Amino acid sequence: MDCLFCAIVAGDIPSRGVYADDTAYAFLDINPWHRGHTVLVPRRHVADLLEQPEGLGEIAPAINATGRLLVDRLGAQGLNLLSNAGAVAGQEVFHLHVHLIPRYADRPGMAGLMQRESDIDLDEVYRQLVAG
Ligand code: 5GP
Ligand code: ZN
């Protein structure tokens, strides 16, 4: 099967890992909406949360841990969780994933979610997360 996120989990495609445990892997989104935008996936291939709703339960502890880490280490004031299921909902990679999007006071509310930050330095964000 040709799956981008399976290849990232396997380490065949490089990623900036933020959190890992036995069931899940979280890494910085290559095209972030806000600083620290992270994608979290189950290690096993599940297409989306409509195909296997229980897939979300499996990765819930990892979502908690990653959300805490992002907010604490980046100094965010909030966090959005989002999982797109189906192309009509905006899903582009068909391996279940949750977006964890740290939020900051300069772009508040749901309207602010759509106001992407420009010029985010992924390596700098990664260093901040890894260094703690
Ligand atoms: P979707 O639209 O399927 O919910 O989200 C897929 C996400 O994966 C997008 O936000 C996109 O930027 C991210 N993405 C796509 N390809 C790669 C990649 O090769 N590496 C990383 N780190 N993120 C990717
Ligand atoms: Zn996959």
Side-chain angles (χ1 to χ4, degrees):
M1 181 181 29
D2 195 13
C3 173
L4 174 65
F5 287 170
C6 280
I8 286 180
V9 167
D12 294 338
I13 293 176
S15 61
R16 295 174 180 83
V18 169
Y19 175 85
D21 64 22
D22 288 347
T23 56
Y25 178 57
F27 51 95
L28 290 182
D29 195 298
I30 207 163
N31 189 16
W33 296 8
H34 298 277
R35 288 186 77 250
H37 181 168
T38 292
V39 174
L40 188 150
V41 304
R43 288 187 180 276
R44 69 185 183 97
H45 183 87
V46 175
D48 61 45
L49 58 80
L50 292 175
E51 181 194 83
Q52 282 191 37
E54 67 276 17
L56 204 53
E58 285 174 19
I59 59 175
I63 294 172
N64 290 343
T66 305
R68 190 74 263 158
L69 182 138
L70 290 171
V71 167
D72 289 348
R73 295 198 178 166
L74 297 177
Q77 286 89 41
L79 180 76
N80 288 108
L81 292 183
L82 177 70
S83 188
N84 301 326
V88 73
Q91 186 175 11
E92 292 182 349
V93 180
F94 292 88
H95 178 133
L96 173 64
H97 54 281
V98 175
H99 296 260
L100 292 95
I101 307 173
R103 299 295 306 279
Y104 306 92
D106 59 337
R107 289 178 179 81
M110 286 298 287
L113 176 61
M114 305 303 170
Q115 292 168 11
R116 303 175 83 107
E117 282 180 54
S118 52
D119 301 328
I120 294 174
D121 182 337
L122 285 177
D123 288 326
E124 190 271 326
V125 174
Y126 181 61
R127 272 195 299 275
Q128 198 174 342
L129 284 167
V130 171

